């Protein structure tokens, strides 16, 4: 659960920087690796059902 929480915090930070500075974020390294560009997706306060299922498998 710790990695998911840390990655969510990082993604939230990237979304904030992206929207407030109009910066283009091309690459972010993380463990587990980020798939796609989740910071380009809409804000999400709670984990999605897909994220919950993924965390249950760990």
């Amino acid at each position: 659960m710790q990695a998911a929480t840390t990655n969510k915090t990082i993604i939230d930070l990237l979304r904030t920087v992206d929207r407030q500075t109009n910066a283009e974020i091309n690459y972010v390294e993380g463990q587990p690796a980020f798939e796609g560009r989740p910071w380009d997706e809409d804000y999400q306060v709670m984990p999605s059902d897909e994220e919950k299922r993924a965390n249950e498998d760990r």
Side-chain angles (χ1 to χ4, degrees):
M1 181 71 170
Q2 181 68 24
T5 302
T6 302
N7 275 357
K8 177 137 180 61
T9 302
I10 292 169
I11 291 170
D12 288 343
L13 175 66
L14 291 168
R15 286 180 178 138
T16 300
V17 169
D18 179 53
R19 290 181 173 109
Q20 290 184 3
T21 66
N22 221 13
E24 183 176 331
I25 301 168
N26 292 315
Y27 176 78
V28 176
E29 187 170 328
Q31 290 295 326
F34 292 105
E35 293 185 19
R37 299 172 55 100
W39 51 88
D40 284 339
E41 298 169 6
D42 290 332
Y43 279 103
Q44 178 181 321
V45 176
M46 301 298 290
S48 67
D49 289 338
E50 182 179 328
E51 289 171 324
K52 289 177 187 174
R53 283 191 297 273
N55 287 330
E56 289 173 355
D57 294 340
R58 293 180 189 183

